[in-house]
Amino acid sequence: MVTGPRFTRWHDGERLGWRVIAQLSLTPRKHRVLVVDDHRETAENVCTLLSTLGHDAVLAENGTTALALAQQFDPDVALLDIDLPDISGYELARRLRSAQSHPLFLAAVTGWAQGRDSAPALAAGFDRHVLKPTTADMIRSILEQASQSTALVP
């Protein structure tokens, strides 16, 4: 349990202390994010953004590598491309879902023209479906939604 400041030696210190506590409680939680995209530069850019935002991120360029990394890295969020060279992102989502022992937030991030229809992604177990190109705001939005959805799970 965290309690706020009680007394300080400096003027207005208690109020400042409470503001700091409030800011810390509003800071989004740190995520472990698996980024899967066969376009390496895209995956690296997303991982760099995630690291800058304070999250841990690893990348995989195909589904087989992603499955192996997921066992070691134990992500709580995965950003998956749909068109992968070995297995589809839909199949990867199903496999990741079945292998995880804790909540996993899955976001389909696709550039496919057919990917405009989110129904197959949601049926495969994705929590969110977005079209490329993504922005930093979109990635933040995905992480905020992941924080909210996993906070609801006991």
Side-chain angles (χ1 to χ4, degrees):
M1 182 167 115
V2 176
T3 61
R6 302 263 192 270
F7 300 103
T8 64
R9 295 181 189 188
W10 26 285
H11 177 69
D12 230 13
E14 185 175 350
R15 190 179 326 190
L16 174 64
W18 280 112
R19 283 195 307 251
V20 169
I21 295 292
Q23 283 298 317
L24 290 173
S25 67
L26 295 175
T27 302
R29 81 173 231 226
K30 182 176 182 176
H31 289 286
R32 297 173 59 77
V33 185
L34 173 63
V35 177
V36 185
D37 197 312
D38 58 333
H39 187 258
R40 185 167 188 86
E41 187 177 338
T42 298
E44 287 173 346
N45 288 338
V46 171
C47 285
T48 299
L49 172 65
L50 291 165
S51 296
T52 301
L53 294 173
H55 304 282
D56 293 329
V58 295
L59 70 90
E61 294 181 68
N62 60 59
T64 305
T65 303
L67 289 169
L69 270 175
Q71 288 180 349
Q72 298 167 356
F73 184 65
D74 197 28
D76 62 306
V77 176
L79 307 177
L80 311 180
D81 189 9
I82 299 299
D83 188 21
L84 296 171
D86 53 352
I87 62 175
S88 76
Y90 301 127
E91 180 59 27
L92 177 58
R94 287 185 200 94
R95 291 186 192 181
L96 287 171
R97 264 284 178 240
S98 68
Q100 288 298 115
S101 60
H102 59 79
L104 174 64
F105 189 88
L106 294 174
V109 182
T110 182
W112 265 10
Q114 303 93 327
R116 294 191 188 286
D117 180 13
S118 63
L122 299 177
F126 283 99
D127 298 294
R128 180 96 181 255
H129 179 264
V130 297
L131 293 175
K132 290 179 185 174
T134 57
T135 64
D137 287 337
M138 179 60 67
I139 299 294
R140 281 190 198 103
S141 170
I142 291 168
L143 295 174
E144 286 172 14
Q145 187 177 357
S147 292
Q148 292 170 0
S149 71
T150 56
L152 300 174
V153 178

